[in-house]
Amino acid sequence: MAAVSVFPSQGELGAALARLVAEAAAEAVASGGRFTLGLSGGSLVPLLARELPPALSAAPGAEPARWLVAFCDERLVPPEHPESTGGAYRAQLLSQLPPPGPRVLGVSPGLGPAEAARDYEEQLRRAFPGMDIPQFDLLLLGVGPDGHTCSLFPGHALLQEQTSLVCPVLDSPKPPPQRVTMTLPLLNAAKSLLVVATGASKAPVLKRILQEQQQPLLPAARLRPRSGRLRWLLDRAAAAELQIPLEKCS
């Protein structure tokens, strides 16, 4: 059963998220020498850009120079395009971290969808030598009002993918249509998944995912780590249709 935490405001949620990332980084660096982090885009980018740098200042053991950062999905647009997840993180968050900063893996610009997915999967496999499926220390994910996560959309054939770890998306219902996304086998291999949802538009779908478990399962309801931990972080508006008490951010 996933853990669910509800915060009175997006600001308190953001502070708690940043603290959890910093704590996970410090623990991973202390135990294994590096911290592997997968990031989703959208509203997570400005949230982390605002909250994570000060949280890291209070956690010197987190050491961003020992991080490996990858992106859970990417739109196939130039890095400077406003829809680029990697471009947004480089401009808003990674540029704030002390040099030399993390090692960053990303989709290679200029490739077609299938080639970009193959290249990105090869990058990930090289970064996790000896593992059949790379196991990230932490993946930060979002969920859309339709229940999608990463670029895995309701009813899409990629929800059944069992072999490839990264796949192209040619027909995303959200623009731009061409994307690359991690698949469920890779997502569910992570040691820890944090799913963040804010705003009233998410309330109906969160009720479906967390309390009703309607069939067929929505993409975000298929986040079920094989041996890791799953935790949802919600603000009051997103959790409005759930019967869950609020948490305070200390």
Side-chain angles (χ1 to χ4, degrees), residues 76-88:
L76 293 187
V77 294
E80 64 275 10
H81 192 283
E83 293 288 343
S84 170
T85 295

Side-chain angles (χ1 to χ4, degrees), residues 2-116:
V4 181
S5 299
V6 181
F7 297 89
S9 68
Q10 187 178 128
E12 287 173 276
L13 184 157
L17 172 64
R19 187 176 66 248
L20 289 169
V21 174
E23 290 172 353
E27 180 181 346
V29 169
S31 62
R34 76 168 183 172
F35 174 53
T36 54
L37 174 66
L39 296 172
S40 296
S43 59
L44 273 172
V45 183
L47 186 66
L48 288 169
R50 182 176 67 248
E51 301 290 352
L52 187 54
L56 292 176
S57 297
E63 296 188 63
R66 294 180 177 268
W67 295 14
L68 172 73
V69 172
F71 305 110
C72 299
D73 67 328
E74 181 60 277
R75 291 98 169 207
L76 293 187
V77 294
E80 64 275 10
H81 192 283
E83 293 288 343
S84 170
T85 295
Y89 271 112
R90 288 181 175 90
Q92 298 181 45
L93 173 63
L94 299 178
S95 59
Q96 296 191 64
L97 302 182
R103 177 188 174 193
V104 181
L105 302 182
V107 174
S108 299
L111 300 179
E115 188 178 1

